[in-house]
Amino acid sequence: MSLAPLQQIPADIAAVGDYQAYARERMSEQAWAYLAGGAADELTLQDNRQAFDRLRLRSRVLQDLRGGNTRLRLFGQDYEHPIFVAPVAYQKLAHADGELACVLGASALRAGMVVSTQASIELETIAAQAQTPLWFQLYIQPDRDFTAALVRRAEAAGYRALVLTVDAPVSGIRNREQRAGFALPAGIEAVNLRGMRPLAVSADPSASSLLLGGPLLNAAPTWADLAWLRAQTRLPILLKGILSAADAEQALAAGVDGLIVSNHGGRTLDGLPATIEALPEVAAAVQGRVPVLLDGGIRRGTDILKALALGADAVLVGRPCIFALAAAGAVGVAHVLQLLRAELEVAMALTGCADLASIGPQTIWTPHSC
């Protein structure tokens, strides 16, 4: 029997990671496997975290920190800090109020939030609750007409950007979910996809492979579909799932407005690099032409500082917000964001960075550097 959400934050929750044990006690085994798990042996899931731990920071002393702040501007919108809530599907698995509690917590800390296509609450209802800018995470569905209608719904509801996830034409091999027998419980579904025409799938006894050449991949989006999407909307489009300079260059040539360095939280292809290790290559290819964001493995404000130092303009945080949501609802989400922001500001002060523009490669310690 899962425990009820906390009514107040215990004193022993002093850091983001402290929420995990409380969240585990409040989720079913199946929900935990879905929200906490990764692909296959979960090597990429683990390395997203461990790669941050391998990086060291360079302190600076006696720097002028007067007027310091964490403000930034993205796509015409001002933000007080560079911490966004990442898109996570089916948040009612974590808490009965799902995305409504999450957006309430994000609004309290004025954090931008990205709402998943597979949210368990209608995108319009979430937008009506929000008091912070929202972006809409989009999968291009095999039903392109339905996809276009979904984009129009997001525009009408006031979403400020589209985050097109491009690294998951198929789901990863998620053994933890398989072992737990995960299935969506009654009453939880991707409500924004109601009414979509299902992909016609028929078994072909002559097929020589299980996936390749089949209807699912035949309907998967390509660069041509990105051009189609660009014609459907005037909203900024960010591509989420970029890990290489080659894909970054192709995305820029296609006219995208931003990139998110992401390996889907280690949930698609196991063995991919940690996002913080892929970031420098992508940032070097972009050369500041569009904003670059990063997700995956962030658990400390120092992680955020490291990401900004290596070329990110902002970061997205997923599982920590979901664990806090499961443990304490909206208050937990707000607390996680507050902890991360406070840690970021302390780290900036101790590395001599008064604002985000002051953070750069020199903030990372390297042997023999000066």
Side-chain angles (χ1 to χ4, degrees):
M1 182 72 177
S2 300
L3 300 179
L6 298 167
Q7 296 303 303
Q8 60 183 24
I9 306 301
D12 64 347
I13 296 184
V16 165
D18 296 333
Y19 271 103
Q20 185 162 329
Y22 284 93
R24 179 65 188 90
E25 294 174 332
R26 287 160 176 82
M27 281 193 226
S28 69
E29 180 183 355
Q30 293 75 24
W32 182 255
Y34 178 81
L35 291 169
D41 296 313
E42 301 187 347
L43 302 176
T44 296
L45 172 64
Q46 297 167 32
D47 205 37
N48 271 349
R49 170 68 252 141
Q50 294 166 357
F52 277 109
D53 293 341
R54 292 192 289 267
L55 291 171
R56 295 292 180 265
L57 294 167
R58 178 171 296 282
S59 66
R60 295 296 308 277
V61 302
L62 302 177
Q63 301 299 298
D64 187 352
L65 300 174
R66 289 174 294 180
N69 66 82
T70 58
R71 293 191 294 270
L72 76 159
R73 188 172 180 83
L74 288 176
F75 310 118
Q77 178 71 42
D78 292 319
Y79 296 90
E80 293 187 17
H81 56 80
I83 308 167
F84 286 65
V85 178
V88 178
Y90 306 121
Q91 292 184 19
K92 281 189 174 182
L93 288 171
H95 189 279
D97 294 335
E99 290 82 1
L100 290 182
C102 192
V103 78
L104 187 60
S107 295
L109 267 293
R110 294 178 288 281
M113 176 170 163
V114 188
V115 174
S116 173
T117 287
Q118 295 174 308
S120 49
I121 295 174
E122 289 85 354
L123 65 93
E124 293 88 353
T125 305
I126 299 168
Q129 174 92 352
Q131 298 180 40
T132 195
L134 298 182
W135 298 352
F136 185 68
Q137 178 269 333
L138 179 71
Y139 291 103
I140 294 180
Q141 304 293 333
D143 186 341
R144 299 299 195 262
D145 291 339
F146 186 92
T147 304
L150 198 57
V151 169
R152 291 192 292 271
R153 287 176 59 191
E155 290 175 334
Y159 287 77
R160 307 292 182 89
L162 296 178
V163 174
L164 178 64
T165 295
V166 293
D167 62 353
V170 296
S171 295
I173 301 296
R174 298 179 189 166
N175 295 144
R176 196 196 301 204
E177 289 180 31
Q178 294 169 337
R179 295 179 186 117
F182 174 76
L184 285 174
I188 299 179
E189 61 174 310
V191 294
N192 294 305
L193 298 181
R194 287 175 179 164
M196 182 176 65
R197 293 193 304 269
L199 178 66
V201 177
S202 57
D204 181 0
S206 66
S208 59
S209 62
L210 299 176
L211 178 64
L212 297 175
L216 183 59
L217 287 183
N218 289 344
T222 67
W223 290 104
D225 291 289
L226 177 57
W228 168 84
L229 179 62
R230 177 76 283 169
Q232 305 300 312
T233 183
R234 293 185 179 181
L235 290 177
I237 297 174
L238 297 87
L239 295 195
K240 180 176 181 290
I242 301 299
L243 292 172
S244 69
D247 280 344
E249 291 284 6
Q250 192 160 359
L252 291 176
V256 303
D257 303 288
L259 301 176
I260 301 177
V261 176
S262 174
N263 54 34
H264 216 96
R267 293 169 61 80
T268 52
L269 178 61
D270 202 21
L272 291 174
T275 52
I276 192 64
E277 293 183 330
L279 174 61
E281 176 182 326
V282 174
V286 171
Q287 289 291 311
R289 287 176 284 177
V290 299
V292 174
L293 291 79
L294 172 140
D295 72 9
I298 290 170
R299 299 294 183 272
R300 285 283 188 179
T302 46
D303 300 335
I304 299 170
L305 182 63
K306 291 169 184 178
L308 300 178
L310 293 178
D313 295 284
V315 301
L316 299 96
V317 180
R319 286 185 180 92
C321 291
I322 296 306
F323 295 161
L325 174 67
V331 173
V333 175
H335 188 218
V336 156
L337 295 168
Q338 173 70 15
L339 287 170
L340 290 173
R341 183 178 179 185
E343 291 178 357
L344 171 62
E345 293 194 22
V346 169
M348 288 173 62
L350 296 177
T351 54
C353 300
D355 54 27
L356 301 188
S358 305
I359 303 169
Q362 76 284 351
T363 311
I364 302 295
W365 182 87
T366 54
H368 312 301
S369 63
C370 59

